[in-house]
Every structure is written in C-alpha cells, then in structure tokens.
Coordinates of all heavy atoms in Angstrom, one line a residue:
M1 N 121.2 60.1 68.0 CA 121.2 59.6 69.4 C 120.3 60.4 70.3 O 120.3 61.6 70.2 CB 122.7 59.7 69.9 CG 122.9 58.7 71.1 SD 124.7 58.6 71.5 CE 125.0 60.1 72.3
F2 N 119.6 59.7 71.1 CA 118.8 60.4 72.1 C 118.6 59.6 73.4 O 119.0 58.5 73.4 CB 117.4 60.7 71.5 CG 116.5 59.5 71.4 CD1 115.5 59.2 72.3 CD2 116.7 58.6 70.3 CE1 114.7 58.1 72.2 CE2 116.0 57.4 70.2 CZ 115.0 57.2 71.2
R3 N 118.1 60.3 74.4 CA 117.9 59.6 75.7 C 116.4 59.3 75.8 O 115.5 60.1 75.5 CB 118.3 60.5 76.8 CG 118.3 59.8 78.2 CD 118.6 60.8 79.2 NE 120.1 61.2 79.3 CZ 121.0 60.6 80.0 NH1 120.7 59.5 80.7 NH2 122.3 60.9 79.9
C4 N 116.1 58.0 76.1 CA 114.8 57.6 76.3 C 114.2 58.3 77.5 O 114.8 58.3 78.6 CB 114.8 56.1 76.5 SG 113.1 55.4 77.0
E5 N 113.1 58.8 77.4 CA 112.4 59.6 78.4 C 111.8 58.7 79.5 O 111.2 59.3 80.4 CB 111.5 60.7 77.9 CG 112.3 61.8 77.2 CD 111.4 62.9 76.7 OE1 110.7 63.5 77.5 OE2 111.3 63.0 75.4
K6 N 111.7 57.4 79.2 CA 111.1 56.6 80.1 C 112.1 55.8 81.0 O 112.0 55.8 82.2 CB 110.1 55.6 79.4 CG 109.0 55.1 80.2 CD 108.0 54.3 79.4 CE 107.1 53.4 80.2 NZ 106.1 54.3 81.0
C7 N 113.0 55.1 80.3 CA 114.0 54.4 81.1 C 115.4 55.1 81.2 O 116.3 54.6 81.9 CB 114.2 53.0 80.5 SG 114.9 53.0 78.8
K8 N 115.4 56.3 80.6 CA 116.6 57.1 80.7 C 117.9 56.5 80.1 O 119.0 56.9 80.4 CB 116.9 57.6 82.1 CG 115.7 58.1 82.9 CD 115.3 59.5 82.4 CE 114.1 60.0 83.2 NZ 113.3 60.9 82.4
K9 N 117.7 55.6 79.2 CA 118.8 54.9 78.6 C 119.2 55.7 77.3 O 118.3 56.3 76.6 CB 118.4 53.5 78.2 CG 119.3 52.4 78.7 CD 118.8 51.0 78.6 CE 118.0 50.7 77.3 NZ 117.5 49.3 77.5
I10 N 120.5 55.7 77.0 CA 120.9 56.3 75.8 C 120.7 55.4 74.6 O 121.1 54.2 74.7 CB 122.4 56.8 75.9 CG1 122.6 57.7 77.0 CG2 122.9 57.2 74.5 CD1 122.3 59.2 76.7
V11 N 120.0 55.9 73.6 CA 119.7 55.0 72.5 C 120.7 55.3 71.4 O 120.9 56.5 71.0 CB 118.2 55.2 72.0 CG1 117.9 54.3 70.8 CG2 117.2 55.0 73.2
P12 N 121.3 54.3 70.8 CA 122.2 54.5 69.7 C 121.6 55.2 68.5 O 120.4 55.0 68.3 CB 122.7 53.1 69.4 CG 122.0 52.1 70.2 CD 121.2 52.8 71.2
P13 N 122.4 55.9 67.7 CA 121.9 56.7 66.6 C 121.1 55.9 65.6 O 120.3 56.4 64.9 CB 123.1 57.4 66.0 CG 124.3 56.7 66.6 CD 123.8 56.1 68.0
K14 N 121.5 54.6 65.5 CA 120.8 53.8 64.4 C 119.4 53.4 64.8 O 118.6 53.1 63.9 CB 121.6 52.5 64.2 CG 122.7 52.8 63.0 CD 123.5 51.5 62.8 CE 124.6 51.3 63.8 NZ 125.3 50.0 63.7
E15 N 119.1 53.4 66.1 CA 117.8 53.0 66.6 C 116.8 54.0 66.3 O 117.1 55.3 66.4 CB 117.9 52.7 68.1 CG 118.7 51.5 68.4 CD 117.9 50.2 68.5 OE1 116.7 50.3 68.8 OE2 118.5 49.1 68.4
K16 N 115.6 53.6 66.1 CA 114.5 54.5 65.8 C 113.9 55.0 67.1 O 113.8 54.2 68.1 CB 113.4 53.8 65.0 CG 112.8 54.6 63.9 CD 111.8 53.8 63.2 CE 110.6 54.8 62.9 NZ 109.3 54.1 62.9
S17 N 113.4 56.2 67.1 CA 112.7 56.7 68.4 C 111.2 56.6 68.2 O 110.7 56.7 67.0 CB 113.2 58.1 68.7 OG 112.6 59.0 67.7
F18 N 110.5 56.4 69.2 CA 109.1 56.3 69.2 C 108.5 57.3 70.1 O 108.9 57.7 71.1 CB 108.6 54.9 69.6 CG 109.0 53.9 68.7 CD1 110.3 53.2 68.8 CD2 108.2 53.4 67.7 CE1 110.7 52.2 68.0 CE2 108.6 52.4 66.8 CZ 109.9 51.8 67.0
L19 N 107.3 57.8 69.6 CA 106.6 58.9 70.4 C 105.5 58.1 71.2 O 104.6 57.5 70.6 CB 106.0 60.0 69.5 CG 107.0 61.0 69.0 CD1 106.3 61.9 68.0 CD2 107.4 61.9 70.2
L20 N 105.5 58.3 72.4 CA 104.6 57.7 73.3 C 103.7 58.7 74.0 O 104.2 59.7 74.5 CB 105.3 56.9 74.4 CG 104.5 56.0 75.3 CD1 104.0 54.7 74.5 CD2 105.3 55.6 76.5
V21 N 102.4 58.5 73.8 CA 101.4 59.5 74.4 C 101.3 59.1 75.9 O 100.9 58.1 76.3 CB 100.1 59.4 73.7 CG1 99.0 60.4 74.3 CG2 100.2 59.7 72.2
V22 N 101.7 60.1 76.7 CA 101.6 59.9 78.2 C 100.4 60.6 78.8 O 99.9 60.2 79.9 CB 102.8 60.2 78.9 CG1 103.9 59.2 78.7 CG2 103.4 61.6 78.5
E23 N 99.9 61.6 78.2 CA 98.8 62.3 78.7 C 97.8 62.7 77.6 O 98.3 63.3 76.5 CB 99.3 63.6 79.4 CG 99.4 63.4 80.9 CD 99.8 64.8 81.6 OE1 101.0 65.0 81.7 OE2 98.9 65.6 81.9
K24 N 96.6 62.5 77.8 CA 95.6 63.0 76.8 C 94.4 63.5 77.6 O 94.1 63.1 78.6 CB 95.3 61.9 75.8 CG 94.9 60.6 76.3 CD 94.8 59.6 75.2 CE 94.3 58.2 75.7 NZ 94.1 57.3 74.6
R25 N 93.7 64.4 76.9 CA 92.5 64.9 77.5 C 91.3 64.8 76.5 O 91.6 64.8 75.3 CB 92.7 66.3 77.9 CG 93.1 67.3 76.8 CD 93.2 68.7 77.2 NE 94.0 69.4 76.2 CZ 94.9 70.3 76.5 NH1 95.1 70.6 77.7 NH2 95.6 70.9 75.6
P26 N 90.1 64.6 77.1 CA 89.0 64.5 76.2 C 88.7 65.8 75.5 O 88.8 66.8 76.1 CB 87.8 64.0 77.1 CG 88.3 64.4 78.5 CD 89.8 64.4 78.5
K27 N 88.3 65.7 74.3 CA 88.0 66.9 73.5 C 86.7 66.7 72.8 O 86.4 65.6 72.3 CB 89.1 67.1 72.5 CG 89.2 68.6 72.1 CD 90.1 68.8 71.0 CE 89.9 70.3 70.5 NZ 90.7 70.6 69.3
I28 N 85.9 67.7 72.8 CA 84.6 67.7 72.1 C 84.8 68.4 70.7 O 85.2 69.6 70.7 CB 83.5 68.2 72.9 CG1 83.3 67.4 74.2 CG2 82.2 68.2 72.1 CD1 82.6 68.1 75.3
Y29 N 84.5 67.7 69.7 CA 84.5 68.3 68.3 C 83.1 68.6 67.9 O 82.2 67.9 68.2 CB 85.2 67.3 67.4 CG 86.6 66.8 67.7 CD1 86.8 65.7 68.4 CD2 87.6 67.6 67.2 CE1 88.1 65.3 68.8 CE2 88.9 67.2 67.5 CZ 89.2 66.0 68.3 OH 90.4 65.7 68.5
H30 N 83.0 69.7 67.2 CA 81.7 70.1 66.6 C 81.8 69.8 65.2 O 82.7 70.4 64.4 CB 81.4 71.5 66.9 CG 81.1 71.7 68.4 ND1 79.9 71.5 69.0 CD2 82.0 72.1 69.4 CE1 80.0 71.8 70.3 NE2 81.2 72.1 70.6
I31 N 80.9 69.1 64.7 CA 80.9 68.7 63.2 C 79.6 69.3 62.6 O 78.5 69.1 63.1 CB 80.9 67.2 62.9 CG1 82.2 66.6 63.6 CG2 81.0 67.0 61.5 CD1 82.0 65.1 63.9
N32 N 79.7 70.2 61.7 CA 78.6 70.8 61.0 C 78.2 70.0 59.7 O 79.1 69.8 58.9 CB 78.9 72.2 60.7 CG 79.1 73.1 61.9 OD1 78.4 73.0 62.9 ND2 80.2 73.8 61.9
I33 N 77.0 69.6 59.7 CA 76.5 68.8 58.6 C 75.4 69.6 57.9 O 74.5 70.0 58.6 CB 76.1 67.4 59.0 CG1 77.2 66.6 59.7 CG2 75.6 66.7 57.7 CD1 76.7 65.4 60.4
V34 N 75.4 69.8 56.6 CA 74.3 70.4 55.9 C 73.7 69.3 55.1 O 74.3 68.8 54.2 CB 74.8 71.6 55.1 CG1 73.6 72.3 54.4 CG2 75.6 72.6 55.9
K35 N 72.4 69.1 55.3 CA 71.7 68.1 54.6 C 70.6 68.8 53.7 O 69.9 69.7 54.1 CB 71.0 67.2 55.6 CG 71.4 65.8 55.4 CD 70.6 64.9 56.4 CE 70.9 63.5 56.3 NZ 70.1 62.7 57.2
T36 N 70.6 68.4 52.5 CA 69.6 68.9 51.6 C 68.5 67.9 51.3 O 68.8 66.7 50.9 CB 70.2 69.4 50.3 OG1 71.4 70.2 50.6 CG2 69.2 70.2 49.5
I37 N 67.3 68.2 51.7 CA 66.2 67.3 51.5 C 65.4 67.8 50.4 O 64.9 69.0 50.4 CB 65.4 67.1 52.8 CG1 66.2 66.4 53.8 CG2 64.0 66.4 52.6 CD1 65.6 66.2 55.2
I38 N 65.1 66.9 49.4 CA 64.2 67.3 48.3 C 62.9 66.6 48.5 O 62.8 65.4 48.6 CB 64.8 67.0 47.0 CG1 66.2 67.7 46.8 CG2 63.9 67.4 45.8 CD1 67.1 67.2 45.7
K39 N 61.9 67.5 48.6 CA 60.5 67.0 48.8 C 59.8 67.1 47.5 O 59.8 68.1 46.8 CB 59.7 67.8 49.8 CG 59.9 67.2 51.3 CD 58.9 68.0 52.1 CE 59.0 67.4 53.6 NZ 58.2 68.2 54.5
R40 N 59.2 65.9 47.1 CA 58.4 66.0 45.8 C 56.9 66.0 46.2 O 56.4 65.2 46.9 CB 58.7 64.6 45.1 CG 60.0 64.7 44.3 CD 60.2 63.3 43.7 NE 61.6 62.9 43.8 CZ 62.5 63.2 42.8 NH1 62.1 63.8 41.7 NH2 63.8 62.9 42.9
R41 N 56.3 67.1 45.7 CA 54.9 67.2 46.0 C 54.2 67.1 44.7 O 54.5 67.9 43.7 CB 54.6 68.5 46.7 CG 55.2 68.6 48.1 CD 55.0 69.9 48.8 NE 55.5 71.0 48.0 CZ 55.4 72.2 48.3 NH1 54.7 72.6 49.4 NH2 55.9 73.2 47.5
P42 N 53.3 66.3 44.5 CA 52.6 66.1 43.3 C 51.8 67.4 42.9 O 51.1 68.0 43.7 CB 51.5 65.0 43.6 CG 51.6 64.7 45.0 CD 52.8 65.3 45.6
G43 N 52.1 67.8 41.6 CA 51.4 69.0 41.2 C 52.1 70.3 41.6 O 51.8 71.3 40.9
K44 N 52.9 70.3 42.5 CA 53.5 71.6 43.0 C 55.0 71.6 42.8 O 55.7 72.6 43.1 CB 53.3 71.7 44.5 CG 51.8 72.2 44.8 CD 51.6 72.2 46.3 CE 50.1 72.5 46.6 NZ 49.9 72.3 48.0
G45 N 55.6 70.6 42.2 CA 57.0 70.5 41.9 C 57.8 70.1 43.1 O 57.3 69.5 44.1
R46 N 59.1 70.4 43.1 CA 59.9 70.0 44.1 C 60.3 71.1 45.1 O 60.3 72.3 44.7 CB 61.2 69.5 43.5 CG 61.1 68.1 42.9 CD 62.4 67.5 42.5 NE 63.0 68.2 41.4 CZ 64.3 67.9 40.9 NH1 64.9 66.9 41.5 NH2 64.7 68.6 40.0
K47 N 60.5 70.7 46.3 CA 60.9 71.8 47.3 C 62.1 71.3 48.0 O 62.3 70.2 48.5 CB 59.8 71.9 48.3 CG 59.8 73.2 49.0 CD 58.8 73.3 50.1 CE 59.0 74.5 51.0 NZ 58.2 74.5 52.2
K48 N 63.1 72.2 47.9 CA 64.4 71.9 48.6 C 64.4 72.5 50.0 O 64.0 73.6 50.2 CB 65.5 72.5 47.8 CG 66.2 71.6 46.8 CD 67.4 72.2 46.2 CE 68.0 71.3 45.1 NZ 69.2 71.9 44.5
K49 N 64.9 71.7 50.8 CA 65.0 72.2 52.2 C 66.4 71.8 52.8 O 66.9 70.7 52.6 CB 63.9 71.4 53.0 CG 63.5 72.2 54.3 CD 62.5 71.4 55.1 CE 62.2 72.1 56.4 NZ 61.4 71.3 57.2
K50 N 66.9 72.8 53.4 CA 68.2 72.6 54.0 C 68.2 72.4 55.5 O 67.5 73.2 56.1 CB 69.2 73.7 53.6 CG 70.0 73.5 52.4 CD 71.0 74.5 52.1 CE 71.8 74.3 50.9 NZ 72.7 75.4 50.6
I51 N 68.8 71.4 56.0 CA 68.8 71.2 57.4 C 70.2 71.2 57.9 O 71.1 70.7 57.3 CB 68.2 69.8 57.7 CG1 66.7 69.7 57.3 CG2 68.3 69.5 59.2 CD1 66.2 68.3 57.4
Y52 N 70.4 72.0 59.0 CA 71.7 72.2 59.5 C 71.8 71.4 60.8 O 71.0 71.5 61.7 CB 72.0 73.7 59.8 CG 72.1 74.5 58.6 CD1 70.9 75.1 58.1 CD2 73.3 74.6 57.9 CE1 70.9 75.9 56.9 CE2 73.3 75.4 56.7 CZ 72.1 76.0 56.2 OH 72.2 76.8 55.1
I53 N 72.8 70.5 60.8 CA 72.9 69.6 62.0 C 74.3 69.9 62.6 O 75.3 69.9 61.9 CB 72.8 68.1 61.6 CG1 71.5 67.8 60.8 CG2 72.9 67.2 62.8 CD1 71.5 66.5 60.1
I54 N 74.3 70.1 63.9 CA 75.5 70.2 64.6 C 75.7 69.0 65.5 O 74.9 68.7 66.3 CB 75.6 71.5 65.4 CG1 75.5 72.8 64.5 CG2 76.9 71.6 66.2 CD1 75.1 74.0 65.2
K55 N 76.7 68.3 65.1 CA 76.9 67.0 65.8 C 78.1 67.2 66.8 O 79.1 67.8 66.4 CB 77.2 65.9 64.8 CG 76.2 64.9 64.7 CD 76.7 63.7 63.9 CE 75.6 62.6 63.9 NZ 76.2 61.4 63.2
K56 N 78.0 66.5 67.9 CA 79.1 66.6 68.9 C 79.8 65.2 68.8 O 79.1 64.2 69.0 CB 78.5 66.8 70.2 CG 78.5 68.3 70.6 CD 78.2 68.5 72.1 CE 77.9 69.9 72.4 NZ 77.3 70.1 73.8
A57 N 81.0 65.3 68.7 CA 81.8 64.0 68.7 C 82.9 64.2 69.8 O 83.5 65.2 69.9 CB 82.4 63.8 67.4
T58 N 83.1 63.1 70.5 CA 84.2 63.2 71.5 C 85.4 62.4 71.0 O 85.3 61.4 70.4 CB 83.7 62.6 72.9 OG1 83.1 61.4 72.7 CG2 82.8 63.6 73.6
G59 N 86.5 63.0 71.3 CA 87.7 62.4 70.9 C 88.8 62.7 71.9 O 88.5 63.2 73.0
W60 N 90.0 62.4 71.6 CA 91.1 62.6 72.5 C 92.1 63.5 71.9 O 92.4 63.5 70.7 CB 91.8 61.3 72.9 CG 90.9 60.5 73.7 CD1 90.1 59.4 73.3 CD2 90.7 60.5 75.1 NE1 89.4 58.9 74.3 CE2 89.7 59.5 75.5 CE3 91.2 61.3 76.2 CZ2 89.4 59.3 76.8 CZ3 90.8 61.0 77.5 CH2 89.9 60.0 77.8
E61 N 92.6 64.4 72.8 CA 93.6 65.3 72.3 C 94.9 65.0 73.0 O 94.9 64.8 74.2 CB 93.2 66.8 72.6 CG 94.0 67.8 72.0 CD 93.6 69.2 72.5 OE1 93.5 69.4 73.6 OE2 93.5 70.1 71.6
I62 N 96.0 65.0 72.3 CA 97.3 64.6 73.0 C 97.8 65.8 73.7 O 97.9 67.0 73.2 CB 98.3 64.2 71.9 CG1 97.9 62.8 71.3 CG2 99.7 64.0 72.5 CD1 98.5 62.5 70.0
K63 N 98.0 65.6 75.0 CA 98.5 66.7 75.9 C 100.0 66.7 76.0 O 100.7 67.6 76.0 CB 97.8 66.5 77.2 CG 97.7 67.8 78.0 CD 96.9 67.6 79.3 CE 97.2 68.7 80.3 NZ 96.7 68.3 81.6
K64 N 100.5 65.4 76.1 CA 102.0 65.3 76.3 C 102.5 64.0 75.7 O 101.8 63.0 75.8 CB 102.3 65.3 77.8 CG 103.7 65.7 78.1 CD 104.0 65.5 79.5 CE 105.5 65.5 79.9 NZ 105.8 65.1 81.2
E65 N 103.5 64.1 75.0 CA 104.1 62.9 74.5 C 105.6 62.9 74.7 O 106.3 63.9 74.7 CB 103.7 62.5 73.0 CG 103.9 63.7 72.1 CD 103.4 63.3 70.7 OE1 102.7 62.4 70.4 OE2 103.7 64.1 69.8
I66 N 106.2 61.7 74.9 CA 107.6 61.6 75.2 C 108.3 60.7 74.1 O 107.6 59.9 73.5 CB 107.9 61.1 76.6 CG1 107.1 59.7 76.8 CG2 107.5 62.1 77.6 CD1 107.6 59.0 78.1
R67 N 109.6 60.9 74.0 CA 110.3 60.1 73.1 C 110.9 58.9 73.8 O 111.6 59.1 74.8 CB 111.5 61.0 72.5 CG 111.4 60.9 71.0 CD 112.2 61.7 70.1 NE 113.3 62.4 70.5 CZ 114.4 62.5 69.6 NH1 114.3 61.9 68.5 NH2 115.4 63.2 69.9
V68 N 110.6 57.7 73.4 CA 111.1 56.5 74.1 C 111.8 55.6 73.1 O 111.7 55.7 71.9 CB 109.9 55.8 74.7 CG1 109.3 56.6 75.8 CG2 108.9 55.4 73.8
C69 N 112.5 54.6 73.7 CA 113.2 53.6 72.9 C 112.1 52.6 72.4 O 111.0 52.5 73.0 CB 114.3 53.0 73.6 SG 113.9 52.1 75.1
K70 N 112.6 51.7 71.6 CA 111.7 50.7 71.0 C 111.2 49.8 72.1 O 110.0 49.4 72.2 CB 112.4 49.9 70.0 CG 111.5 49.2 69.1 CD 112.3 48.3 68.1 CE 111.3 47.5 67.2 NZ 111.9 46.2 66.8
E71 N 112.1 49.4 73.0 CA 111.8 48.5 74.2 C 110.6 49.1 75.0 O 109.7 48.3 75.3 CB 113.0 48.4 75.0 CG 113.2 47.0 75.5 CD 114.5 46.9 76.4 OE1 115.6 46.9 75.8 OE2 114.4 46.8 77.6
C72 N 110.7 50.3 75.4 CA 109.7 50.9 76.2 C 108.4 51.1 75.4 O 107.3 50.9 76.0 CB 110.1 52.3 76.7 SG 111.4 52.2 77.9
W73 N 108.5 51.4 74.2 CA 107.3 51.6 73.4 C 106.5 50.3 73.2 O 105.3 50.2 73.4 CB 107.7 52.1 72.0 CG 106.6 52.5 71.1 CD1 105.8 53.6 71.2 CD2 106.0 51.8 70.1 NE1 104.8 53.6 70.3 CE2 104.9 52.5 69.5 CE3 106.3 50.5 69.4 CZ2 104.2 52.1 68.5 CZ3 105.5 50.1 68.4 CH2 104.5 50.9 67.9
E74 N 107.3 49.2 73.0 CA 106.7 47.8 72.9 C 106.0 47.4 74.2 O 105.0 46.8 74.2 CB 107.6 46.8 72.4 CG 107.8 46.9 70.8 CD 108.6 45.9 70.3 OE1 109.4 45.2 71.0 OE2 108.7 45.7 69.0
K75 N 106.7 47.7 75.3 CA 106.1 47.4 76.6 C 104.8 48.1 76.9 O 103.9 47.5 77.4 CB 107.2 47.8 77.7 CG 107.6 46.7 78.6 CD 108.4 47.2 79.7 CE 109.9 47.0 79.5 NZ 110.8 47.6 80.5
E76 N 104.8 49.3 76.5 CA 103.6 50.2 76.7 C 102.5 49.7 75.8 O 101.3 49.6 76.3 CB 104.0 51.6 76.4 CG 103.0 52.7 77.0 CD 102.9 52.7 78.4 OE1 104.0 52.4 79.1 OE2 101.9 52.9 79.0
R77 N 102.8 49.3 74.7 CA 101.8 48.8 73.7 C 101.2 47.5 74.2 O 100.0 47.3 74.0 CB 102.5 48.6 72.3 CG 101.5 48.7 71.2 CD 102.2 48.6 69.9 NE 102.9 47.4 69.8 CZ 103.5 47.0 68.7 NH1 103.3 47.6 67.5 NH2 104.3 45.9 68.6
R78 N 102.0 46.7 74.7 CA 101.6 45.4 75.3 C 100.6 45.6 76.5 O 99.6 45.0 76.6 CB 102.7 44.5 75.7 CG 103.1 43.6 74.5 CD 104.0 42.4 75.1 NE 105.2 42.9 75.8 CZ 106.3 43.0 75.1 NH1 106.4 42.7 73.8 NH2 107.5 43.4 75.7
S79 N 101.0 46.6 77.3 CA 100.2 46.8 78.5 C 98.8 47.4 78.1 O 97.8 47.3 78.8 CB 100.9 47.7 79.6 OG 101.1 48.9 79.0
N80 N 98.8 48.2 77.1 CA 97.6 48.8 76.6 C 96.7 47.7 76.0 O 95.4 47.9 76.1 CB 97.9 49.9 75.6 CG 98.4 51.1 76.2 OD1 98.2 51.4 77.3 ND2 99.0 52.0 75.4
E81 N 97.2 46.7 75.4 CA 96.4 45.7 74.8 C 95.7 44.9 75.9 O 94.6 44.4 75.6 CB 97.3 44.7 74.0 CG 97.5 45.2 72.6 CD 98.6 44.5 71.8 OE1 99.0 43.5 72.3 OE2 98.9 45.0 70.7
V82 N 96.3 44.8 77.1 CA 95.7 44.0 78.2 C 94.4 44.7 78.6 O 93.4 44.1 78.9 CB 96.6 43.8 79.3 CG1 96.0 43.1 80.5 CG2 97.9 43.0 78.8
I83 N 94.4 46.0 78.7 CA 93.3 46.8 79.1 C 92.3 46.8 78.0 O 91.2 46.4 78.1 CB 93.7 48.3 79.4 CG1 94.8 48.3 80.6 CG2 92.5 49.1 79.9 CD1 95.6 49.6 80.6
Ligands
ZN101 ZN1 113.4 53.1 77.1

C-alpha cells in the first residue's frame, strides 16, 4: 500500500505503482569511438591508421521521479502524447 504522490490517494496493496518522471535535465554524453582505417597502397603494403573520435550526444537525466497510481500515470501519459 502506498500513497500516490500526485493525487494523494491511498492505493490498495494489490494495485501496481508507477514511477513518473517529473523533472529531468539535459545531459551531454561523451562517446569515444576508435576507428581503424586500413589504407592499401600498391607496392607498399597496408597501413593501419587509428582515428579517435569523441562524439557528443545529448540526452536526458532523471532528476526527480514520484510514485503515482495507475490513474495518474495514464493521465500523464495521455497528456504527453498530445505534445
Ligand atoms: Zn494518483
């Protein structure tokens, strides 16, 4: 049994609880990629070259999440779909 943090209703023990993300912040991830390039040069054989690439990717980091009842969770999901 728990209390829904959104509507403050007591949820019966049989009901499942849902985690709802209420706050998130942008996060920049750094991805390191090592690429190996093989150059074929006639008469001189092959030459391997390693290239290091640092890629920046933006994502979201969860800052705060609350425990909500199924009703609130579905409501929130529906409102997110509209946007
Ligand atoms: Zn609720």
Side-chain angles (χ1 to χ4, degrees):
M1 199 170 78
F2 74 100
R3 190 185 286 268
C4 171
E5 286 180 68
K6 204 172 165 73
C7 66
K8 308 288 178 211
K9 233 167 38 184
I10 298 281
V11 180
K14 271 181 276 173
E15 292 267 337
K16 219 184 142 207
S17 71
F18 293 87
L19 281 171
L20 187 75
V21 179
V22 283
E23 260 184 273
K24 53 186 180 177
R25 57 175 162 220
K27 203 190 172 185
I28 297 162
Y29 299 93
H30 294 273
I31 306 160
N32 297 313
I33 305 162
V34 183
K35 238 185 179 179
T36 311
I37 291 173
I38 300 166
K39 268 189 179 174
R40 279 174 219 269
R41 292 178 302 176
K44 285 175 186 170
R46 285 191 291 179
K47 200 188 175 191
K48 265 190 188 176
K49 204 181 173 190
K50 267 187 181 174
I51 297 171
Y52 297 90
I53 305 161
I54 300 163
K55 251 192 174 179
K56 265 188 195 174
T58 48
W60 293 94
E61 188 185 49
I62 294 161
K63 206 175 161 193
K64 199 186 169 194
E65 50 185 13
I66 54 168
R67 232 167 24 139
V68 295
C69 65
K70 200 183 175 212
E71 219 178 285
C72 290
W73 188 76
E74 277 182 350
K75 234 187 261 172
E76 198 64 34
R77 205 176 53 171
R78 267 199 298 270
S79 65
N80 281 342
E81 274 171 10
V82 176
I83 302 159

